[in-house]
Amino acid sequence: MANNNEKVVIKLVCENGQLRRFRVNESIDFNELKEYICSMINVDETNFRITYEDEEKDRITITSTIELQEAICLSKSSPYLKLFLQSNSNVSNSQQESKHLNNNNKHRILFSTKNNSNCRNNKESINQSIHENVICDNCNTSPIKGIRYKHVTNDYDLCEKCWLKVDQISPGEHKFIEFDKPIISNLQSIADQFIPGLNINNLLQTFSPILSQIMQNNNQCQNRFYSNSNSNS
């Protein structure tokens, strides 16, 4: 529980670029904070939302006293708590733009392993997915978490955030596969439906040496072919 006498410095960033700095009690209620902001910059509390950046630079929305206290706790190592004020109209426009981007990008997906269910457990499962040893080729995030977008023909991957900008990053009609889970997990899910009891990991370990040998033999054949072609020319 916060000490009522302790203060926290708030740096408020308004949409017009205006900055406000003030002190409040650490134990301040969220509604009290909103009322204070409304009186200070003369806005209607129903027309804006308050956000902050957490330790991973994600923008977090504050809607309750509990969430406000969490933000204050995270700011302990900083000289102030930086809050951002955003009007609800701009929030709606941003959401519509994001939805529009997602709809535009759907034609770029050749195949998806994602379950379209809106079930909360399904969404949480996707968010917790970690694609080990897979790096986003645009922002270098490693490993990719959540949904992975794999180029169909090239060794090229994008994370969810970069996928929203795929038309700028990878213009044209390049196709991608959408993986909601690591590839092994997806293969195992398919196997469970058709061949119960089949362990994909064991199967891959068994056939990997064989596949490697086939690829090696294929490369050797290609090298001999090109070598003979060059000697005959």
Side-chain angles (χ1 to χ4, degrees):
M1 182 68 68
N3 188 329
N4 290 338
N5 295 324
E6 293 184 2
K7 301 285 186 179
V8 60
V9 177
I10 302 289
K11 180 183 281 189
L12 184 67
V13 182
C14 303
E15 282 190 314
N16 59 5
Q18 187 182 58
L19 293 176
R20 294 297 186 95
R21 182 170 174 141
F22 53 92
R23 291 176 184 267
V24 296
N25 291 329
E26 279 194 1
S27 58
I28 188 171
D29 179 87
F30 178 60
N31 288 328
E32 290 177 337
L33 177 63
K34 289 179 68 176
E35 290 175 3
Y36 185 83
I37 292 174
C38 288
S39 63
M40 180 172 58
I41 60 177
N42 192 28
V43 293
D44 185 345
E45 68 176 56
T46 62
N47 290 334
F48 69 85
R49 71 172 182 171
I50 301 172
T51 64
Y52 71 98
E53 287 187 352
D54 67 5
E55 66 274 17
E56 295 180 344
K57 302 300 181 183
D58 290 324
R59 189 65 68 88
I60 310 298
T61 302
I62 301 176
T63 61
S64 67
T65 300
I66 293 177
E67 292 172 330
L68 174 60
Q69 290 302 316
E70 173 65 15
I72 291 174
C73 286
L74 286 175
S75 70
K76 291 287 188 180
S77 58
S78 303
Y80 54 80
L81 170 60
K82 192 173 188 177
L83 298 179
F84 299 86
L85 208 62
Q86 185 175 6
S87 67
N88 287 330
S89 59
N90 285 343
V91 172
S92 298
N93 290 337
S94 176
Q95 290 172 344
Q96 288 295 327
E97 182 179 352
S98 176
K99 183 177 180 181
H100 179 67
L101 282 171
N102 281 324
N103 288 335
N104 281 347
N105 294 341
K106 284 183 178 179
H107 74 281
R108 305 286 296 273
I109 298 175
L110 180 67
F111 177 76
S112 175
T113 64
K114 188 170 65 173
N115 184 347
N116 289 326
S117 168
N118 289 322
C119 169
R120 178 180 176 182
N121 290 337
N122 182 56
K123 290 184 177 180
E124 289 179 351
S125 175
I126 292 175
N127 291 335
Q128 293 170 3
S129 292
I130 298 177
H131 303 267
E132 297 290 352
N133 302 318
V134 180
I135 301 173
C136 176
D137 288 290
N138 183 62
C139 67
N140 294 322
T141 294
S142 176
I144 289 179
K145 297 179 181 180
I147 299 178
R148 169 194 178 189
Y149 294 89
K150 172 76 175 72
H151 195 281
V152 172
T153 56
N154 299 331
D155 182 15
Y156 189 83
D157 296 274
L158 293 176
C159 64
E160 286 186 77
K161 289 183 179 179
C162 292
W163 175 250
L164 293 176
K165 302 177 290 184
V166 66
D167 284 335
Q168 289 80 42
I169 297 169
S170 180
E173 291 301 317
H174 299 281
K175 299 294 184 180
F176 289 78
I177 299 176
E178 185 180 52
F179 289 106
D180 61 334
K181 296 177 183 177
I183 293 177
I184 296 297
S185 297
N186 282 305
L187 290 175
Q188 187 63 60
S189 298
I190 296 172
D192 289 342
Q193 295 180 36
F194 298 99
I195 314 175
L198 177 65
N199 189 302
I200 292 296
N201 267 323
N202 292 342
L203 187 66
L204 290 176
Q205 289 174 8
T206 301
F207 284 97
S208 284
I210 300 173
L211 293 173
S212 296
Q213 187 62 48
I214 292 173
M215 292 298 294
Q216 184 177 352
N217 292 341
N218 181 61
N219 290 335
Q220 290 174 353
C221 289
Q222 286 183 345
N223 290 336
R224 283 198 295 269
F225 173 78
Y226 289 123
S227 177
N228 291 334
S229 298
N230 292 332
S231 62
N232 292 331
S233 58

